[in-house]
Amino acid sequence: MTSILNADLHCHSVVSDGTLTPEVLAARAHANGVELWALTDHDEIGGQARAAAAARAQGMKYLTGVEISITFANQTVHIVGLGFDATDSRIVEGLRQTRGGRGLRAQEMSEGLAAVGIRGAYEGALQFVGNPELISRTHFARFLVESGVCKDTSEVFRKFLIEGKPGYVPHRWASLRDAVTWITQAGGVAVIAHPARYKFSPNEEFALFTEFKHHGGQAVEVVTGSHTAAEAVTYADMAREFGFAASRGSDFHSPDESHTDLGTLPYLPGELTPVWELLADRIQ
Ligand code: AMP
Ligand code: MN
Ligand code: MN
Ligand code: MN
């Protein structure tokens, strides 16, 4: 397969912090011309069987997917896994452990918000949760918009949910090594998600890419809803430098919040190896 393929290998459903079901997402992806799709919920593969069946019903090719939260150099980094066996017990158990602690963290976030006069945020956020094990900052953001504290979720993050703000609670996620190992041992390919989003120094970023490769990581997102055109060029260069394949995905969460819809990205630059070439035998 060539790089001229409408692949969308990054998006979220109600199983994590998206607002649409796997079935509605599959229909929307297909309507937007997606040919190869992956649902990549945060730290959770409970939606994979539904997504694969929905893709099949739409006549769309499918790769299993997940977006794993890890801590690297004191920052949260996301590692996308594609094409792994979603019944592999090590990834299932590893993700279960990664999800643990979100509930407690959410209660602490709520206490931080109460201290600045925002009451009932935990209960409020819970109303937006599709999966009780996966309460995330996004659900708090939706509650604060609904209750009129902010006009949109970006404003909530800026004022309340990022480091240094009252609702921010640091959390220890999985390690880089664990996430890459779970994915690769289950037959999949690990991908660094939206690399331009992190606030690393050049040395820290080099360490992330080097260690990721050392642990068996093979790809990086180049074309994503989180990158500008200039950032895509930067990370196309990085992919070449490190010998990584390239991935493409919208990171779609919701028709109301996401600026990039499913399947509406530029194609991957032709000179890069598309990640789906490494996964030809895992496509369903
Ligand atoms: P969590 O896993 O609970 O830390 O929540 C992280 C999620 O919050 C990400 O997956 C995004 O969906 C969302 N998010 C992070 N930063 C922002 C931001 N600045 N604006 C809007 N959404 C954000
Ligand atoms: Mn998210
Ligand atoms: Mn992410
Ligand atoms: Mn994402």
Side-chain angles (χ1 to χ4, degrees):
M1 271 185 279
T2 74
S3 54
I4 308 299
L5 181 77
N6 194 344
D8 195 325
L9 305 179
H10 189 151
C11 68
H12 301 273
S13 77
V14 288
V15 170
S16 64
D17 63 347
T19 62
L20 304 181
T21 61
E23 290 77 16
V24 172
L25 281 170
R28 189 178 182 102
H30 181 65
N32 287 355
V34 172
E35 296 161 277
L36 173 65
W37 181 52
L39 172 67
T40 56
D41 277 310
H42 296 286
D43 307 320
E44 174 65 271
I45 51 181
Q48 291 305 304
R50 282 172 68 184
R56 202 161 40 241
Q58 299 287 343
M60 204 165 42
K61 295 196 176 81
Y62 190 74
L63 281 167
T64 53
V66 68
E67 181 174 22
I68 306 180
S69 315
I70 67 152
T71 305
F72 186 86
N74 298 316
Q75 285 191 53
T76 302
V77 168
H78 288 166
I79 302 296
V80 163
L82 296 172
F84 54 88
D85 171 4
T87 66
D88 182 280
S89 58
R90 286 167 299 196
I91 193 167
V92 169
E93 177 56 18
L95 291 175
R96 201 183 59 73
Q97 282 176 21
T98 296
R99 289 192 297 275
R102 273 187 183 267
L104 262 181
R105 168 189 183 237
Q107 287 173 24
E108 288 176 36
M109 288 170 64
S110 189
E111 286 162 22
L113 292 168
V116 294
I118 299 167
R119 316 229 157 259
Y122 177 70
E123 294 73 19
L126 268 185
Q127 291 172 8
F128 290 87
V129 165
N131 173 0
E133 275 190 51
L134 219 289
I135 183 162
S136 89
R137 284 185 290 164
T138 316
H139 302 112
F140 280 84
R142 292 189 184 130
F143 169 65
L144 264 63
V145 172
E146 190 211 47
S147 51
V149 177
C150 292
K151 67 172 177 7
D152 58 31
T153 54
S154 323
E155 186 187 344
V156 183
F157 274 89
R158 205 166 58 242
K159 292 188 173 162
F160 296 104
L161 298 182
I162 57 175
E163 196 171 351
K165 302 298 175 183
Y168 180 79
V169 175
H171 192 74
R172 188 119 207 118
W173 303 109
S175 70
L176 176 63
R177 181 207 210 110
D178 282 345
V180 175
T181 307
W182 298 333
I183 295 163
T184 52
Q185 282 185 342
V189 166
V191 186
I192 299 174
H194 42 61
R197 281 252 300 269
Y198 312 120
K199 308 261 181 296
F200 287 130
S201 68
N203 282 349
E204 287 170 333
E205 184 180 69
F206 184 82
L208 171 67
F209 275 63
T210 305
E211 289 184 33
F212 173 76
K213 183 167 178 150
H214 172 78
H215 295 312
Q218 292 179 277
V220 59
E221 284 184 348
V222 170
V223 175
T224 115
S226 303
H227 283 179
T228 63
E231 287 164 347
V233 171
T234 300
Y235 289 97
D237 289 344
M238 288 281 275
R240 266 187 296 273
E241 225 172 279
F242 281 85
F244 290 154
S247 191
R248 174 182 192 265
S250 58
D251 207 356
F252 181 80
H253 283 69
S254 158
D256 304 323
E257 294 161 13
S258 300
H259 48 91
T260 306
D261 204 340
L262 288 157
T264 62
L265 299 152
Y267 288 121
L268 283 180
E271 69 280 11
L272 298 175
T273 303
V275 68
W276 47 91
E277 277 190 8
L278 309 182
L279 289 163
D281 60 343
R282 313 289 306 183
I283 293 174
Q284 306 179 35

